[in-house]
Each structure stands twice: as structure tokens, then as C-alpha cells.
């Protein structure tokens, strides 16, 4: 009798805030398999009743908030979770609670519905939270019975990796991480990329991948592979690449990825990271996996936040981030969300003062000798902290975005886009007063040349989707562009003498992608199970252009000057800003046409089998490629499932890798062990000079992926996934070793280039094999009745081995044995120069108005292996770095229901990498720390944030 009375109380309380749509038979949404749906677009109130009948799931929703809302049309075979997600997309509704055959919806930003459910579910006898009573079809006069089980958090539904039918993370046949916007925010990191480094175990983001433009690009790799071997999607659509190239980097050299920091963080609803090869489903680049950024939609309200922070040591590296997101309805059948991000980063520096000039032969003497016989008296008062740029570089950035949709007679028109401007300041190495480029009558105390990069980046998508004869179709077009103008300041072209300008235009890089896609999908009942058939066509037009700089930026002048009786001839080109020459300038475009088929078959609720095939045609040297994928998931018990996949993949050479040319200054250890600043020319692979040094046309990288693992749910709310993988990549594109010496100079001069430079070019240099394991676990629980805890644990072990190195081309072999296509240093940057393991343990505790977010990350050891040097200790320049534990902490407080305050720290205990003398540059007072670790080398960082909802 008590149970019957309790059910009446529950029903009475719910009826005051919600309308209950009665199903024919109530079942837990997480237990219901895919079924056939056919629900036209209509008002939410009527659509929920139809959905309940077709799904067998009870729906609770706030009637007073949905009067003017309309759902989308859904048709086909899919799970109830997927069907409901498609129906309410953009309406402003979200799933607040789910379990035991009941789904409770609430308006975004409105907690009244969830609160009512919790109150209605209180078991007054035992104090337990019980589920709302599922109201099934009953005999007249019979009252519903309340369920005893605790309300579960709804399973996270993903759209990546399984076309047509949405699945939960646990039911995906391939490993997927889902990162919410809240998780991104609570890292305290200023960008999407840096936040992912703390949240995805197999994702690695170095502090600085290298020098030059490599420090500007937000660069990170999945499963130890290059950034451009991971495909970036936004709302399921391919994101365009940056025009900048990792041209002089230690890690990821030559890669041309999409820049994630051009997407406003305030726009992100969640991110789905598919950790498995998916080129057969999504096309070129998806060798390591896919990162799909899902934008906020239909939020019906907004929020604004401001974050400020700085480093603990030296109080530098200030970061300021202002964010805004706002969603609104468009008429009765549409939505629009807009996003704004403003970011400013100040410089940080961990260099130390150099030693004094105590002898005439000291390498730290800044000035020419006085009369060639004595130390210049200015040495005594000179600023010995000559390096100011050993840390983060200053940047200013603005990101704008929107996401919108509108239903027109059963067809949804949608559009989204981003627009960004970023100004980056790259301060280059200090030129001593006695450097040949520091003309005594121009820069008597030396100078720090600067390269300023001004980027404009945008992408816009427009599409329509609907249902025709049972097929869901999606027709879309996206256009993206990145343009990077480069300007030198506080510089000069010393070969022009004192008349050289100090500000020069270096040139511009521009990359564009235009993608047109048609995707269709339909579900069929087959053999007692469900078959999802998907297919599509895609056309992509890519362009890349290098635009020449002004004459003074690259001109080879004849100016000389005399110091202490010696004639000095400075090298040509603006310091740190050698411009793109007319010979470097050029453009290239290509077309790509692709077709794919993707099948997913669920013969039983416990089994999923998937196969996919794709054919791509390029109208350049990349040619034709056919690839495939197969995966399977088998639930052995209700708490254990096995899964595995095998696939082939490819990545077509980026246009930038084929035509990019530049000249930069880079420090290199010469065979005798001395550290020298070389002017290095990156040659286009089709240039006469590159061909003379053995360059050949680039061909696509190809891959074979194997993965296997299991999903474990041993107890309530504990989810564990373990996945092993092997990725073999053939013909990986990499930049050659630095080719320098008299023999190389003779070839360069014969092709019209300066004798003062060294050379390198891109080539299909190596084959690699990467093996590893990912472990991800999550657990949610309560502490009595006053707090809740959410745990996230991740572990990754990753090892890359080089299985083959391309033999020296005959042109290099003829120059002698000292010339190596891919040297020891280059090999280390692929295999040992990143932490081999990463472990993180995260906890979010909610206690009333307080939240405490704690994250501990262990970055494993890594090694920086250098080229051998002459002498008794040929490995003297090798570096070895031990594992480090990094602790992050954030405490938040809800000052009011609409205002939240938070303070936090990244690297709370101010941990630094190991100090090493092997790479320390005594003449600059820098390079004592590695720049490739995932935790930086500037120590701890603290910040504060205020968030206002409206």
C-alpha cells in the first residue's frame, strides 16, 4: 500500500511541472535496441506523445516551456537516444535525467525540471533517490508503481565513427573520448588544443614544437603521429588547414594541420575524439583518428566569462581571455547561437644572464675587441640577459563564430562558421654587437629581429538536410581560408648597408579549401536485426599560394665594412625575416573526388558489425586511392564487451609541402660539436636545386591500423575501456637533414642561390610502426547526501619505431658519406622526443555551491637524441629527461545562481623539466630545458575566472 501511495505522490508532483507522454511499454533507454521511427516535424508536445508510442520510453517535459517549440523530422531505424537527440536538436531542450524507461527533458539553463524530478523521487522511508514511476499501459483504475532503482546519468551519445545511427560511448565499436565544454573550461587552459592535452591520454601537445612559424601553430598529435595525420571536423564537416607550416620544428616537422585555436572555445558544446583510423569513413588525414568539435546549438540564453592569469616565477606570461556565447530562437522553427572570444598572451622568459667577457677569446664577449687587443669597456655595463624570448611569445587574437538552423517544411537549413584574427610576435635570437649583421653604425649594441605574423582565418558552412523515401540526406558546402601575412621589424638586410629599411614585408601564405558533400543514410530491418546503410559523395578543391615579399627583404647586396683591419661581408636577406623571393612565389591547386559506403549491422542488441570502403581521386600526383575498414563489437555479458577494428588509410601530401620555400636561421650542431647559426633554405620539391639534391615528387602516405580492446562496467556508474593499437605508416613525409658544406653550396650556386645557405626539402623518407595501449575509466558516486564525485582516469603507452629509412638518392650519395637524408636527430624527433607514457587522474567534487576540480598528470620520461659529434664522447649532446608529476587545481563557487567565481592553478607545485647542460647555449643563456614536453618549461601558472549566465 505504501508503494501505491508513493506512486500517487510522485505522479501528483510531476504533473505540476510536466506533461507525461505515456509509452506502450516502459523500458530503460539504455536497454532499448534500435527500432523504426517515422515522426514528422511538429510541436514538441505532440511529437513527444508520438515518440513515446514508437519508442516505448516515457518522456517528461516542461509543458510551459515548449509551447512554441517544434521538433525535427526523423525517419529510419535508430536507437531511441539517437531519435530523441535528432528531434530536439536546436529546440533548447536537453536530457536532464534518464533511466528505468524514463527520460526527463529540461530547457537549457533551466534546472526546475530536474529539481522537480529529484523531489518527486524521494523515498521518505529510506532517504534514497528513486526513479519516477514509469507509467505503462494499464487496466482501468490501476495505479502506477514506483521503481526502486536510482536515477542514472544519461549515457553520452556520440555521432563520430558511426554514420547514420548514434551510439553511446560504451556501445561504440571503436574507442571514443567525449570532452564537455565544462571540462575544457575547468582545465584553465586558454585554448582547445592545450585543454585536450590534459584530458585525452594519447594526445600530446608540446610546449613549442620548434622555432619560426612552428611556435604559432597550435600543434598536437594523436597516438604519437603527426598533427596532420588526425582529421579535424566541426559539426561533422572537414575543417580547413592552416597556411603556416611546421617548417623549422623539432617535432612534427613539415606537418600542415588544422589550427584548433582558430575555433572559439565559447562555441564548443563538446568534443568527440575518435582514437582509431577512420580514413575509409572520413577521407584523407584520418590515419590516427578524428577530432569532431560539436558547436553549441539552441541554448536559449548565454554566458560570459573573463579569465586572467600569470606564471608564478618572474610574474610573466600573463594571459587574458574573455568569452561570450548566446543562443536565441529564430521564429517558431529555428535557432541561432553566436560566440565571441578575445585573447591576449604576454611573453614569458626563462633565459639566464650569460657569463661576463673576461678574456679576449671568451665566446660571451658581446663587442668587437677594442683595437683588436683589449676588451671593449662597454662589456662591463652591458645587459647580460641577452635572450628575452625563451618562453611563450606574445599573441593577440579574436575569434567569432555562429551556429544556426531553421526548419522549412520538413527540411532543415543550417549554417555555421568562424572568423578569426591573430597577431603573433616572434622575437628571434639576439644578434651580438660583434655579429656581422649588427652593423656598428646601425645597431652598435646588437639587436633582436622580430617577425610579426598577421593571420586572417575563416570558415563558413551552409547545408540542407531532410528525409526522402525513408533516406535521411544531408547536402552541404563549406569554404575555409587561412591567410598569414608576415612582416619583419627591428631588423635590417645587412648586405644593403646602413640604408637598409628596418621594417620589411616578408610575404604572405594563403591556403583555402572548398568542400561539397552529399551524405545519405537509411535503416533497414534485416534478419531480426538492424542494418544502417550510409553512403556519400564529396568534392574538395584545395589551393595554396606563396606571395613574394618586398625586394629589400631578400635582396643580396654588396655592402662590406672593416673592423680591426678585417673586411666583413654580411649575409644577404633581412635578419629573421628573409622574404619570399619571386622564385619562391607560386600557387598550386588540386581537385579531389571521393565516394564512400558505410554499413553498420546489429544482428542482435549485443552485436555490432561495421564495414566501410572509400575511393578517392586526386588530379595531381597523389592519384587514386581505395581504402577500407571493418570493426566489430560483441557484448559477452551485460558488463563486458569486446571490440576490434582493422583499417587501411592514407594522407595525401599537403600542397604546402610541395611548393613551400623559405629561408630561416636555425642553430645546428656541426660535426665538430660547435653550435652554429645557419641560414637554411627549405626548397620546393620541384625546384631545380632540390632535384639536384635528390628530391622526387611526393606521394601519399599509406597506413594500416589494428586495434582491439574491451569495455567493462563491473559496477554501477563505473566504466572502463582498454584498447591496444598498432599503426603502420609507409612513405611518411618528413623534411631531410640539414644539408650543408661546400659540395651542397656548389649545387645551390649552380642553381642561382646564395653560397651562404644550407638546404633541406620534403621527401617520403621513412616507414614507421606505432604500438600502444589506451586505458580510460570513469566513475561517479555520492558521498552520503551532501556531495558528488566524478573520477576520470586515463593512461597511454605509445612507442614509435622506424622500420625503414629511404636510401640516400644518388645525387646525395655522390657527394660523400657525410650527407645523410634522415639523420640521428631527425629520427629521435619521431621516436624518443615525446613522453612515452602519460597518466592522468581527475576528480570533480561538487559540494553545495562549491566545486573542486583536481587533476594529476604524470608525463613519462623522454630523450632528445642529437647527431654524433667528433671527439671522445660522440653522444655528448644527447639529453635525457625523467618523468614528472604535474598537479592542477581549480575551486569554483556559485555566488548566485547566475554568477560563478573560480580560482585555479596549472602546475600547482611549480615543477620544471630536468635542467640539462647538453643543450645549454652559453652564448645566449637559454635552451637548458626541453621545449617538447607536454607540461612546459615556465613553471606554475595561476588564474582566476568569473562567469555570468543570462
Amino acid at each position: 500500500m505504501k508503494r501505491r501511495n508513493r506512486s500517487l505522490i510522485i505522479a501528483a508532483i510531476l504533473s505540476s511541472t510536466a506533461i507525461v507522454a505515456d509509452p506502450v511499454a516502459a523500458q530503460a533507454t539504455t536497454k532499448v535496441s534500435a527500432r523504426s521511427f517515422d515522426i514528422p516535424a511538429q510541436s514538441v508536445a505532440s511529437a513527444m506523445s508520438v515518440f513515446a508510442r514508437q519508442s516505448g520510453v516515457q518522456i517528461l517535459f516542461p509543458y510551459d516551456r515548449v509551447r512554441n517549440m517544434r521538433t525535427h523530422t526523423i525517419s529510419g531505424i535508430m536507437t531511441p537516444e539517437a531519435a530523441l537527440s535528432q528531434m530536439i536538436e536546436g529546440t533548447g531542450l536537453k536530457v536532464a535525467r534518464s533511466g528505468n524507461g524514463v527520460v526527463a527533458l529540461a530547457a537549457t539553463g533551466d534546472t526546475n525540471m530536474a529539481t522537480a524530478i529529484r523531489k518527486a523521487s524521494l523515498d521518505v522511508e529510506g532517504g534514497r533517490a528513486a526513479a519516477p514511476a514509469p507509467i505503462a499501459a494499464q487496466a482501468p483504475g490501476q495505479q502506477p508503481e514506483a521503481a526502486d532503482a536510482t536515477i542514472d546519468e544519461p549515457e553520452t551519445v556520440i555521432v563520430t565513427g558511426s554514420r547514420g545511427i548514434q551510439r553511446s560511448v560504451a556501445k561504440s565499436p571503436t574507442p571514443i573520448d567525449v570532452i564537455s565544454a565544462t571540462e575544457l573550461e575547468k582545465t584553465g587552459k586558454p585554448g582547445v588544443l592545450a585543454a585536450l592535452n590534459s584530458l585525452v591520454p594519447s594526445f600530446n601537445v608540446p610546449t613549442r614544437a620548434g622555432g619560426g612559424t612552428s611556435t604559432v601553430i597550435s600543434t598536437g598529435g594523436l597516438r604519437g603521429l603527426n598533427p596532420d595525420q588526425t582529421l579535424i571536423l566541426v559539426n561533422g564537416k572537414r575543417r580547413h588547414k592552416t597556411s603556416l607550416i611546421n617548417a623549422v620544428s623539432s617535432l612534427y616537422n613539415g606537418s600542415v594541420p588544422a589550427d584548433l585555436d582558430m575555433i572559439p572555445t565559447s562555441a564548443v558544446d563538446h568534443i568527440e575524439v575518435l582514437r582509431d583510423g577512420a580514413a575509409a569513413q572520413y577521407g584523407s588525414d584520418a590515419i590516427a583518428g578524428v577530432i569532431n568539435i560539436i558547436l553549441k546549438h539552441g541554448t536559449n540564453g548565454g554566458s560570459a566569462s573573463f579569465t586572467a592569469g600569470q606564471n608564478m616565477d618572474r610574474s610573466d606570461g600573463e594571459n587574458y581571455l574573455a568569452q561570450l556565447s548566446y543562443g536565441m530562437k529564430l521564429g517558431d522553427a529555428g535557432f541561432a547561437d553566436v560566440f565571441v572570444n578575445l585573447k591576449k598572451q604576454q611573453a614569458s622568459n626563462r633565459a639566464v644572464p650569460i657569463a661576463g667577457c673576461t678574456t679576449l677569446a671568451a665566446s660571451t664577449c658581446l663587442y668587437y675587441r677594442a683595437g683588436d687587443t683589449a676588451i671593449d669597456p662597454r662589456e662591463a655595463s652591458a645587459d647580460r640577459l641577452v635572450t628575452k624570448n625563451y618562453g611563450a611569445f606574445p599573441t593577440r587574437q579574436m575569434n567569432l563564430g555562429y551556429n544556426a538552423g531553421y526548419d522549412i517544411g520538413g527540411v532543415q537549413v543550417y549554417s555555421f562558421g568562424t572568423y578569426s584574427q591573430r597577431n603573433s610576435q616572434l622575437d628571434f635570437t639576439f644578434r651580438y654587437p660583434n655579429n656581422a649583421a649588427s652593423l656598428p653604425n646601425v645597431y652598435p649594441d646588437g639587436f633582436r629581429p622580430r617577425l610579426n605574423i598577421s593571420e586572417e582565418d575563416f570558415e563558413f558552412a551552409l547545408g540542407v538536410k531532410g528525409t526522402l523515401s525513408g533516406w535521411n540526406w544531408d547536402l552541404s558546402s563549406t569554404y575555409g581560408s587561412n591567410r598569414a601575412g608576415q612582416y619583419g621589424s627591428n631588423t635590417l638586410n645587412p648586405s644593403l648597408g646602413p640604408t637598409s629599411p628596418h621594417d620589411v614585408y616578408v610575404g604572405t601564405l594563403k591556403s583555402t579549401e572548398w568542400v561539397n558533400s552529399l551524405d545519405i543514410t537509411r535503416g533497414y530491418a534485416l534478419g531480426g536485426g538492424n542494418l544502417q546503410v550510409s553512403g556519400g559523395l564529396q568534392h574538395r578543391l584545395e589551393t595554396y599560394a606563396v606571395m613574394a615579399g618586398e625586394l629589400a627583404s631578400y635582396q643580396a647586396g654588396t655592402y662590406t665594412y672593416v673592423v680591426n683591419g678585417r673586411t666583413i661581408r654580411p649575409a644577404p636577406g633581412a635578419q629573421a625575416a628573409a622574404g619570399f623571393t619571386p622564385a619562391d612565389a607560386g600557387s598550386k591547386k588540386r581537385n579531389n573526388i571521393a565516394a564512400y559506403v558505410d554499413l553498420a549491422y546489429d544482428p542482435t542488441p549485443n552485436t555490432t558489425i561495421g564495414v566501410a570502403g572509400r575511393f578517392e581521386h586526386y588530379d595531381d600526383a597523389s592519384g587514386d586511392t581505395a581504402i577500407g575498414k571493418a570493426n566489430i563489437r560483441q557484448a559477452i555479458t551485460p558488463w563486458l564487451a569486446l571490440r576490434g577494428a582493422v583499417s587501411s588509410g592514407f594522407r595525401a601530401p599537403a600542397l604546402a609541402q610541395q611548393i613551400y620555400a623559405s629561408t630561416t636561421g636555425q642553430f645546428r650542431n656541426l660535426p665538430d660539436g660547435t653550435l652554429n647559426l645557419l641560414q637554411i633554405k627549405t626548397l620546393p620539391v620541384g625546384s631545380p636545386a632540390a632535384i639536384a639534391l635528390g628530391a622526387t615528387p611526393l606521394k601519399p602516405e599509406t597506413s594500416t591500423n589494428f586495434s582491439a580492446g574491451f569495455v567493462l562496467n563491473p559496477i554501477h556508474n563505473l566504466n572502463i575501456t582498454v584498447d591496444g593499437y598498432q599503426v603502420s605508416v609507409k612513405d611518411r613525409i618528413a623534411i631531410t637533414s640539414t644539408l650543408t658544406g661546400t659540395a651542397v653550396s656548389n649545387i645551390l650556386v649552380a642553381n642561382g642561390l646564395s653560397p651562404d645557405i644550407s638546404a633541406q626539402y620534403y621527401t617520403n623518407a621513412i616507414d614507421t610502426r606505432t604500438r600502444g595501449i589506451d586505458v580510460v575509466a570513469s566513475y561517479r558516486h555520492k558521498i552520503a547526501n551532501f556531495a558528488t564525485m566524478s573520477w576520470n582516469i586515463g593512461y597511454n603507452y605509445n612507442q614509435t619505431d622506424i622500420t625503414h629509412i629511404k636510401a640516400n638518392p644518388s645525387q646525395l650519395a655522390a657527394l660523400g658519406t657525410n650527407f645523410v637524408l634522415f639523420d640521428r636527430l631527425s629520427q629521435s624527433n619521431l621516436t624518443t622526443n615525446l613522453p612515452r607514457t602519460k597518466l592522468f587522474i581527475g576528480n570533480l567534487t561538487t559540494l553545495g555551491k562549491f566545486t573542486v576540480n583536481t587533476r594529476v598528470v604524470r608525463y613519462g620520461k623522454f630523450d632528445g637524441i642529437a647527431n654524433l659529434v667528433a671527439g671522445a664522447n660522440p653522444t655528448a649532446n644527447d639529453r635525457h629527461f625523467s618523468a614528472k608529476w604535474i598537479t592542477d587545481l581549480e575551486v569554483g563557487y556559485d555566488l548566485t545562481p547566475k554568477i560563478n567565481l573560480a580560482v585555479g592553478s596549472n602546475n600547482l607545485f611549480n615543477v620544471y623539466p630536468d635542467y640539462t647542460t647538453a643543450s645549454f647555449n652559453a652564448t645566449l643563456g637559454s635552451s637548458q630545458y626541453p621545449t617538447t614536453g607536454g607540461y612546459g618549461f615556465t613553471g606554475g601558472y595561476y588564474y582566476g575566472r568569473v562567469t555570468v549566465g543570462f
Side-chain angles (χ1 to χ4, degrees):
M1 185 65 182
K2 289 182 179 179
R3 291 177 59 85
R4 180 171 177 175
N5 290 339
R6 190 173 69 223
S7 298
L8 290 173
I9 294 171
I10 292 171
I13 295 176
L14 286 175
S15 65
S16 66
T17 57
I19 294 297
V20 180
D22 296 343
V24 174
Q27 306 174 49
T29 57
T30 56
K31 304 299 183 184
V32 177
S33 60
R35 57 184 59 195
S36 178
F37 288 93
D38 187 9
I39 306 176
Q42 56 191 288
S43 69
V44 167
S46 61
M48 290 301 108
S49 295
V50 178
F51 174 80
R53 289 196 299 271
Q54 295 187 11
S55 67
V57 175
Q58 180 184 356
I59 302 293
L60 310 174
F61 60 94
Y63 182 74
D64 58 330
R65 299 293 299 272
V66 304
R67 288 172 182 159
N68 296 320
M69 294 181 183
R70 290 178 59 84
T71 61
H72 301 297
T73 298
I74 60 169
S75 178
I77 296 177
M78 63 191 80
T79 63
E81 295 100 325
L84 182 60
S85 177
Q86 291 183 26
M87 286 177 64
I88 66 175
E89 181 182 5
T91 62
L93 294 174
K94 65 177 182 180
V95 175
R97 291 282 181 175
S98 173
N100 291 322
V102 181
V103 175
L105 302 180
T108 304
D110 182 8
T111 60
N112 291 335
M113 183 64 197
T115 302
I117 291 176
R118 287 196 294 271
K119 290 178 179 177
S121 304
L122 185 62
D123 182 337
V124 295
E125 292 182 326
R128 292 177 300 158
I135 306 175
Q138 302 163 38
Q142 184 179 359
Q143 297 297 330
E145 292 290 325
D148 291 324
T150 301
I151 294 178
D152 295 326
E153 292 294 328
E155 285 194 85
T156 303
V157 176
I158 48 95
V159 297
T160 309
S162 183
R163 290 184 181 270
I165 183 169
Q166 295 173 318
R167 301 182 186 274
S168 68
V169 171
K171 293 181 179 178
S172 170
T174 49
I176 292 182
D177 297 314
V178 178
I179 311 299
S180 69
T182 300
E183 290 176 288
L184 292 173
E185 181 183 58
K186 288 186 178 298
T187 64
K189 303 295 177 65
V192 172
L193 201 78
L196 287 178
N197 187 47
S198 300
L199 299 170
V200 179
S202 59
F203 193 70
N204 283 291
V205 179
T207 309
R208 291 165 65 178
T213 57
S214 301
T215 61
V216 176
I217 308 169
S218 291
T219 303
L222 190 63
R223 289 186 164 177
L225 298 177
N226 279 354
D228 55 5
Q229 291 169 328
T230 297
L231 179 63
I232 306 301
L233 306 175
V234 176
N235 282 353
K237 309 301 180 186
R238 176 183 285 264
R239 179 79 178 180
H240 69 281
K241 296 180 178 67
T242 179
S243 62
L244 299 172
I245 187 169
N246 280 288
V248 295
S249 58
S250 300
L251 300 178
Y252 313 136
N253 213 330
S255 64
V256 190
D259 194 327
L260 288 179
D261 275 0
M262 291 299 187
I263 300 170
T265 52
S266 60
V268 178
D269 180 84
H270 68 277
I271 299 176
E272 299 177 3
V273 182
L274 171 60
R275 293 179 277 111
D276 194 57
Q281 296 165 290
Y282 296 101
S284 174
D285 306 345
I287 288 177
V290 175
I291 296 176
N292 189 7
I293 299 175
I294 308 299
L295 304 182
K296 294 176 182 175
H297 52 275
T299 52
N300 285 339
S303 66
S305 68
F306 178 75
T307 306
Q310 66 178 18
N311 293 324
M312 296 177 183
D313 292 337
R314 305 194 188 184
S315 297
D316 60 4
E318 296 90 341
N319 254 300
Y320 306 97
L321 176 63
Q323 300 185 97
L324 170 71
S325 67
Y326 183 73
M328 68 197 85
K329 294 198 313 181
L330 291 181
D332 294 332
F335 71 92
D337 288 73
V338 294
F339 320 106
V340 178
N341 270 41
L342 301 174
K343 183 169 69 173
K344 179 181 179 181
Q345 176 181 288
Q346 301 284 61
S348 59
N349 184 33
R350 291 299 174 268
V352 296
I354 62 173
C357 177
T358 57
T359 66
L360 290 175
S363 62
T364 53
C365 291
L366 301 176
Y367 296 90
Y368 289 109
R369 300 169 184 172
D372 205 25
T373 59
I375 295 175
D376 192 299
R378 289 175 293 180
E379 296 281 359
S381 59
D383 181 4
R384 312 306 289 185
L385 185 63
V386 298
T387 296
K388 310 289 187 181
N389 65 334
Y390 186 46
F393 288 113
T395 61
R396 293 173 180 262
Q397 187 165 349
M398 175 188 71
N399 295 338
L400 308 176
Y402 76 93
N403 189 23
Y406 200 91
D407 274 355
I408 303 175
V411 173
Q412 184 186 11
V413 180
Y414 64 88
S415 180
F416 58 88
T418 62
Y419 176 82
S420 299
Q421 291 183 355
R422 180 169 65 192
N423 293 300
S424 306
Q425 176 183 309
L426 279 67
D427 293 312
F428 275 66
T429 303
F430 178 67
R431 270 55 170 173
Y432 276 23
N434 59 17
N435 185 293
S438 299
L439 306 186
N441 53 348
V442 179
Y443 290 116
D445 295 313
F447 68 107
R448 298 176 181 87
R450 177 176 297 164
L451 180 65
N452 303 285
I453 301 178
S454 179
E455 290 178 84
E456 183 180 53
D457 183 281
F458 64 87
E459 178 161 303
F460 298 104
L462 178 64
V464 290
K465 58 184 178 181
T467 303
L468 179 64
S469 300
W471 287 88
N472 292 328
W473 56 270
D474 184 343
L475 180 64
S476 65
S477 181
T478 63
Y479 181 82
S481 171
N482 179 273
R483 180 186 180 98
Q486 301 183 33
Y487 307 86
S489 61
N490 195 45
T491 185
L492 85 166
N493 183 339
S495 72
L496 300 181
T499 60
S500 168
H502 294 189
D503 298 283
V504 296
Y505 168 57
V506 176
T508 296
L509 304 173
K510 184 177 181 181
S511 174
T512 71
E513 291 187 34
W514 182 26
V515 183
N516 299 286
S517 302
L518 172 63
D519 302 289
I520 58 174
T521 186
R522 180 175 181 175
Y524 292 91
L526 179 65
N530 308 297
L531 174 66
Q532 194 74 22
V533 179
S534 305
L537 301 172
Q538 186 177 89
H539 169 260
R540 185 166 79 252
L541 173 64
E542 302 173 78
T543 71
Y544 190 81
V546 179
M547 305 172 202
E550 65 175 281
L551 177 63
S553 68
Y554 58 81
Q555 187 177 6
T558 59
Y559 178 77
T560 60
Y561 62 96
V562 178
V563 174
N564 293 330
R566 292 189 298 272
T567 300
I568 296 175
R569 181 182 64 85
Q575 290 291 295
F580 300 119
T581 69
D584 296 335
S587 63
K588 188 176 179 65
K589 70 176 182 178
R590 70 178 174 200
N591 289 276
N592 163 256
I593 298 175
Y596 75 89
V597 174
D598 193 348
L599 305 177
Y601 182 47
D602 297 273
T604 72
N606 296 325
T607 305
T608 298
I609 302 170
V611 294
R614 189 179 188 96
F615 175 80
E616 299 218 9
H617 167 73
Y618 288 83
D619 63 1
D620 65 357
S622 297
D624 298 338
T625 301
I627 51 178
K629 179 175 182 175
N631 57 51
I632 186 170
R633 180 187 184 276
Q634 178 64 51
I636 306 301
T637 71
W639 49 269
L640 174 64
L642 306 179
R643 62 187 182 188
V646 58
S647 66
S648 57
F650 81 106
R651 188 189 73 83
L655 295 181
Q657 292 173 324
Q658 300 180 51
I659 69 169
Y660 179 80
S662 71
T663 302
T664 57
Q666 302 173 50
F667 281 99
R668 288 289 187 269
N669 283 105
L670 299 181
D672 62 1
T674 60
L675 190 65
N676 194 29
L677 181 63
L678 299 179
Q679 295 297 311
I680 301 177
K681 178 80 172 182
T682 300
L683 302 169
V685 293
S687 67
I691 294 173
L693 291 171
T696 57
L698 298 177
K699 55 186 178 181
E701 302 171 339
T702 59
S703 66
T704 304
N705 292 50
F706 297 95
S707 66
F710 60 86
V711 180
L712 188 64
N713 307 111
I715 62 175
H716 184 67
N717 280 342
L718 174 60
N719 302 295
I720 303 171
T721 65
V722 179
D723 295 277
Y725 57 87
Q726 175 178 294
V727 185
S728 299
V729 184
K730 294 189 64 176
D731 298 319
R732 282 186 70 164
I733 297 171
I735 203 160
T736 65
S737 308
T738 302
L739 306 176
T740 188
T742 303
V744 173
S745 296
N746 291 338
I747 292 176
L748 297 176
V749 170
N751 286 276
L753 299 176
S754 168
D756 299 309
I757 61 175
S758 303
Q760 57 188 13
Y761 57 85
Y762 294 102
T763 184
N764 295 96
I766 52 173
D767 299 344
T768 63
R769 182 186 63 227
T770 300
R771 288 174 172 167
I773 186 170
D774 285 328
V775 181
V776 177
S778 64
Y779 181 53
R780 297 174 179 86
H781 64 95
K782 289 188 175 182
I783 301 176
N785 287 320
F786 63 88
T788 60
M789 277 191 172
S790 295
W791 295 86
N792 288 283
I793 300 174
Y795 173 79
N796 173 254
Y797 171 86
N798 193 87
Q799 179 175 341
T800 297
D801 296 311
I802 296 175
T803 58
H804 175 72
I805 299 178
K806 179 180 177 182
N808 272 5
S810 58
Q811 295 91 328
L812 279 186
L815 300 180
T817 57
N818 290 332
F819 296 94
V820 180
L821 189 69
F822 203 66
D823 59 22
R824 191 169 180 259
L825 171 65
S826 301
Q827 294 176 44
S828 171
N829 288 333
L830 277 175
T831 58
T832 68
N833 209 0
L834 274 175
R836 182 162 292 181
T837 63
K838 185 165 73 171
L839 166 70
F840 70 78
I841 303 171
N843 174 270
L844 175 62
T845 299
T846 303
L847 179 61
K849 294 182 178 182
F850 285 93
T851 59
V852 180
N853 189 60
T854 309
R855 184 174 53 256
V856 179
V857 185
R858 181 189 185 274
Y859 295 91
K861 65 180 182 179
F862 60 100
D863 303 300
I865 306 301
N867 289 325
L868 300 176
V869 296
N873 186 10
T875 61
N877 290 327
D878 290 354
R879 300 164 298 155
H880 307 282
F881 305 100
S882 63
K884 299 293 181 181
W885 290 87
I886 306 298
T887 303
D888 300 337
L889 174 67
E890 179 182 294
V891 178
Y893 176 72
D894 290 330
L895 187 64
T896 73
K898 296 291 186 181
I899 300 176
N900 178 269
L901 305 178
V903 293
S905 173
N906 292 321
N907 194 353
L908 178 65
F909 300 112
N910 201 29
V911 176
Y912 276 78
D914 296 336
Y915 183 101
T916 175
T917 58
S919 60
F920 180 65
N921 189 330
T923 62
L924 296 173
S926 63
S927 301
Q928 66 270 36
Y929 299 118
T931 61
T932 57
Y935 50 94
F937 59 95
T938 56
Y941 171 86
Y942 56 86
Y943 63 91
R945 182 179 63 248
V946 58
T947 304
V948 179
F950 49 86

